[in-house]
Amino acid sequence: MIGHEWMAPLMFGGLVVFLLFGYPVAFALAAVGLAFGFIGVQAGFFEFALLQALPERVFGILSNDLLLAIPFFTFMGAVLQKSGLAEELLEGIGQLFGPVRGGLAFAVIIVGAILGAITGTVAASVIAMGAIALPVMMRYGYSMRVATGVVAASGTITQIIPPSLVLIVLADQLGRSVGDMYAGAIGASLLQVLLFCGFIAALALMRPALVPALPPEARTLRGMALAKKIAWGVLPSIGLMFLVLGTILLGLATPTEGGAMGAVGAVINAAMHRRLNWSMVWQSSEATMRLTAMVIFILIGSTVFGLVFRGLDGDLWIEHLLSDLPGGVAGFLIFVNVLVFVLAFFLDFFEIAFIIIPLLAPVAYKLGIDLVWFGVLLGANMQTSFMHPPFGFALFYLRGVAPREVKSADIYWGALPWVGLQLLLVAILIAWPELVTGMLDKVKVIMPGDVMIDIDVPVYDTGGFDGFPDEPAP
Amino acid sequence: MQALLRISRGIDALSARVAVIATACVLGACAISAANAVSRYAFDLSSNAWLEAQWYLFAGMVMLGAAHTLRRNEHVRVDLIYGRASERTQAWIDLIGTLLFLFPAIGLMAWLAWPMFTGAYAIGEVSSNAGGLIRWPVKLLLPVGFALLMLQGVSEVIKRVAVLAGRRVVEPDHYERPLQ
């Protein structure tokens, strides 16, 4: 008979093996959970009643108002993408900044930030910008490495720019309010955009040949025509972003309602541009349905895993393991950041959020770490990983859409300075947590009493961390 | 084998039909949720029934869409090994995974979820919110969704066996890492 103290490590090992096997994560997670659940029942570590709590847990996930934001944000992103938003944005902003040295690169960064805030998917941004902006930059003499680097980097800054879906999921899993999560992420995302723009500005000053301005013949729009292009192509998208973000931050709408209004807004935007048709709407909603089912099934699988893992005192084992690291809080943070950085090569955001974060959050909480800051830090860390050669997802997507003459070596070398900038951001976040936590206090001071930032979301246990040690079900 | 492949095609068609309902749930949820928000802030009107309808539809898109998502091979994997494996190896992984992971896990979930529905149906459980909806329809979605997923698993097994037997009649969908 295997001793009780070995069960949790064995189960964790089983998880790694089952996941590596390559069968869909959702079912592998549930299978590990149930296999060890039966072992646990047989060995008398807990009662079968523990497993009977599962349907209620699944029901709790399905009736969770906050998770309902997932399809809304996904749908909004899909509609905006299919209605040619990225093209409009890049053309408008590219023409606006074109005359300046490095102008196209600035445009890519800004468009990346806007697209990221709305769609929150790395792939959509990288693919759109890689397909549109990269050929233009190459034609007008940009250095290949600068061009590929700025596209990959701007595509990955989606993670922590509010009102991104990523922050909502993190808020759910960390047991913090979405409003706090958004407020905390604002400083970090602004700093990130500034760092990127600063780098391009420095290049424009010191190595102008790498980032030339658009020649006069390429500036097709001027004066009123340009203003009209901006008003028509750019403002609605930015307006939509602030509508969603603003109403949520001001406490006027819950994230779910904000997402739903964003979704309707995206459809209206498409109608205004005469790009609305039934097949586009249906395709968007079908893609949304499949992504939602996929994501929620990971969460269902991880709930099964988590329930049994806690039943076997796995949470205590992890906590013991991580709080005994040399260096206390600093040691924990270094370990966690390196771990997530490496895992993000192989796991996507939802897998990390639903499998890894529930294991880490209780330990972070016990160590007195601010969970909003922790979430923003992990988000910044993951996006670094997404563009780190040779595994970063963003680089794969870019490779997929880049013209043939772009060499993989250019993409890899081009990414390096941006990885450096991302790491700088992570370092700054660690050195000055006030950048995140300071925003929380400030927003609360500005809006006392009558307007609450904390949005009243019904609390259901979705397997995430709710701020308090989870009681195993009786 | 021919008969089995006909069954597989039938199951695929069923999953696709059900997925149409799940897709409609997305549109319905967007419209209802946006309308709820507007009516609450503009007219100070809110109804628990409409608020609950939002997540009933959410449950619908997840539970009724999961089988079709499996058919489209869009449940995310850790493709470190899978992505580099030959088509035959991938078929073996899927076959073993469906038999050892999906069937027992989802089967048990369906079996555990059934009493939750019958219990709610027997007592005519209604939401505890004033004016809330009756509960059994949404609780029925769980066992039904899990059962549809099992059924789709049967179809996937047939398709993988066909691939391994060298019968290229029905191609399983190729796996691509979902865009993230």
Side-chain angles (χ1 to χ4, degrees), chain A residues 2-91:
Chain A
I2 303 164
H4 181 264
E5 70 278 10
W6 286 103
M7 291 305 292
L10 268 177
M11 186 172 180
F12 192 77
L15 172 72
V16 174
V17 173
F18 275 40
L19 287 184
L20 279 178
F21 181 65
Y23 198 67
V25 172
F27 310 122
L29 274 167
V32 186
L34 292 174
F36 278 82
F38 276 109
I39 297 174
V41 172
Q42 289 301 319
F45 295 137
F46 47 74
E47 298 291 312
F48 185 72
L50 181 77
L51 297 181
Q52 281 170 329
L54 280 174
E56 283 300 335
R57 297 278 176 135
V58 176
F59 190 69
I61 292 172
L62 296 177
S63 55
N64 181 325
D65 247 354
L66 193 51
L67 294 173
L68 187 53
I70 293 177
F72 295 162
F73 275 83
T74 310
F75 183 74
M76 171 169 63
V79 169
L80 287 174
Q81 195 189 332
K82 285 186 208 292
S83 59
L85 160 92
E87 289 80 351
E88 297 273 346
L89 275 175
L90 266 174
E91 267 176 46

Side-chain angles (χ1 to χ4, degrees), chain A residues 18 22-25 34 55-56 58 62-63 68 72 122-123 252 257 285-286 290 294 297 346 348-349 393, chain B residues 23 33-34 40-41 54-55 58 65-66 72 74 76-77 80 93 98 101 105 108-109 112 116 149 177 180:
Chain A
F18 275 40
Y23 198 67
V25 172
L34 292 174
E56 283 300 335
V58 176
L62 296 177
S63 55
L68 187 53
F72 295 162
V122 174
L252 293 177
E257 291 169 339
S285 89
E286 211 203 86
R290 291 199 306 268
M294 184 272 275
F297 262 80
F346 312 110
D348 77 355
F349 166 74
F393 292 120
Chain B
T23 305
S33 190
R40 179 133 58 116
Y41 293 105
Q54 295 175 29
W55 64 259
F58 177 62
R72 296 281 305 259
E74 286 189 12
V76 67
R77 307 162 184 262
L80 210 55
I93 290 176
T98 313
F101 295 178
L108 184 76
M109 295 293 279
L112 288 173
M116 190 171 74
L149 200 50
R177 201 166 230 289
Q180 62 163 331

Side-chain angles (χ1 to χ4, degrees), chain A residues 249-266:
Chain A
L249 264 186
L250 290 174
L252 293 177
T254 64
T256 310
E257 291 169 339
M261 292 203 292
V264 173

Side-chain angles (χ1 to χ4, degrees), chain B residues 152-165:
Chain B
Q152 187 60 45
V154 172
S155 164
E156 297 305 312
V157 164
I158 295 172
K159 279 185 270 186
R160 295 318 186 278
V161 170
V163 168
L164 290 172

Side-chain angles (χ1 to χ4, degrees), chain A residues 121-203:
Chain A
T121 66
V122 174
S125 305
V126 172
I127 290 172
M129 295 197 299
I132 307 159
L134 201 53
V136 179
M137 287 198 281
M138 284 161 58
R139 193 179 328 137
Y140 295 112
Y142 265 65
S143 142
M144 197 81 92
R145 289 178 186 178
V146 173
T148 55
V150 75
V151 168
S154 307
T156 51
I157 59 181
T158 55
Q159 305 286 305
I160 58 170
I161 299 184
S164 122
L165 178 60
V166 166
L167 291 170
I168 297 184
V169 171
L170 280 175
D172 176 61
Q173 291 296 304
L174 291 167
R176 288 293 174 264
S177 88
V178 174
D180 278 355
M181 210 70 213
Y182 281 178
I186 288 175
S189 39
L190 283 180
L191 177 66
Q192 161 169 272
V193 171
L194 283 180
L195 277 176
F196 283 9
C197 288
F199 178 68
I200 291 295
L203 275 185

Side-chain angles (χ1 to χ4, degrees), chain B residues 10-153:
Chain B
I11 295 174
D12 287 0
L14 174 70
S15 291
R17 287 273 170 79
V18 177
V20 172
I21 305 176
T23 305
C25 286
V26 175
L27 292 177
C30 284
I32 289 179
S33 190
N36 278 341
V38 170
S39 87
R40 179 133 58 116
Y41 293 105
F43 313 113
D44 208 17
L45 276 177
S46 86
S47 135
N48 280 327
W50 286 105
L51 284 174
E52 290 184 3
Q54 295 175 29
W55 64 259
Y56 274 45
L57 290 169
F58 177 62
M61 70 183 92
V62 172
M63 296 311 301
L64 299 179
H68 186 61
T69 308
L70 180 66
R71 174 180 122 48
R72 296 281 305 259
N73 209 342
E74 286 189 12
H75 282 286
V76 67
R77 307 162 184 262
V78 176
D79 57 357
L80 210 55
I81 295 169
Y82 188 88
R84 276 158 224 189
S86 69
E87 203 170 65
R88 277 188 76 80
T89 315
Q90 288 188 350
W92 273 114
I93 290 176
D94 285 337
L95 186 62
I96 297 170
T98 313
L99 295 175
L100 291 187
F101 295 178
L102 187 132
F103 282 158
I106 299 302
L108 184 76
M109 295 293 279
W111 183 67
L112 288 173
W114 181 251
M116 190 171 74
F117 156 68
T118 50
Y121 186 77
I123 61 168
E125 186 189 350
V126 180
S127 156
S128 55
N129 299 316
L133 299 174
I134 190 144
R135 276 283 180 267
W136 67 261
V138 71
K139 292 198 165 170
L140 179 61
L141 282 173
L142 272 76
V144 167
F146 288 131
L148 285 168
L149 200 50
M150 295 277 284
L151 204 56
Q152 187 60 45

